[in-house]
Amino acid sequence: MPERAGKLQSVIAWLRSGYPNGVPEHDYVPLFALLRRQLSVDEISEVATALSVAAHSDEIIDRIDAGVAISRITDEPPLPADVNRVRTTLEKAGWPFDDQPLAPTDPPGEEVP
């Protein structure tokens, strides 16, 4: 908790410095867009666990799977940084992860130069 309190204090100080007279109403939306949430360590673990439990032992988990799982937990679209953190967690646990599940694959027998 001390780390979270420190982060909160730095955000408050930043806001007070940038908006000494308070945040104008028309700046609310862009300001909140800048302050989008990031998955906590516990949420990353929850997503990775849910994906690995749902997958078969030889199944590759991909960015789409991770994004859907993140959205289920946060009720928000996944941030690329959060998907990358889930990928890293899964790879450390030995799960294969496909970063480009929709990329075309080469037909069998053809080599790419």
Side-chain angles (χ1 to χ4, degrees):
M1 284 296 194
E3 183 180 330
R4 181 175 280 172
K7 286 181 184 178
L8 182 58
Q9 290 301 322
S10 68
V11 169
I12 291 170
W14 177 75
L15 287 171
R16 285 185 177 151
S17 171
Y19 295 98
N21 298 321
V23 178
E25 191 173 323
H26 65 274
D27 282 356
Y28 285 176
V29 173
L31 181 60
F32 282 116
L34 288 173
L35 297 174
R36 289 194 305 189
R37 76 188 299 278
Q38 185 179 45
L39 290 179
S40 69
V41 173
D42 290 341
E43 287 169 327
I44 291 291
S45 178
E46 184 178 349
V47 169
T49 298
L51 288 169
S52 61
V53 166
H56 300 287
S57 61
D58 61 344
E59 190 173 6
I60 296 174
I61 297 169
D62 62 40
R63 295 186 76 76
I64 296 171
D65 298 326
V68 169
I70 290 169
S71 295
R72 285 185 181 141
I73 289 173
T74 65
D75 291 325
E76 295 177 12
L79 299 175
D82 287 332
V83 173
N84 289 336
R85 290 171 60 211
V86 168
R87 182 195 73 233
T88 299
T89 300
L90 288 167
E91 288 175 342
K92 284 181 182 176
W95 283 95
F97 192 92
D98 184 358
D99 248 348
Q100 298 181 345
L102 301 178
T105 57
D106 298 323
E110 290 188 21
E111 282 190 33
V112 177

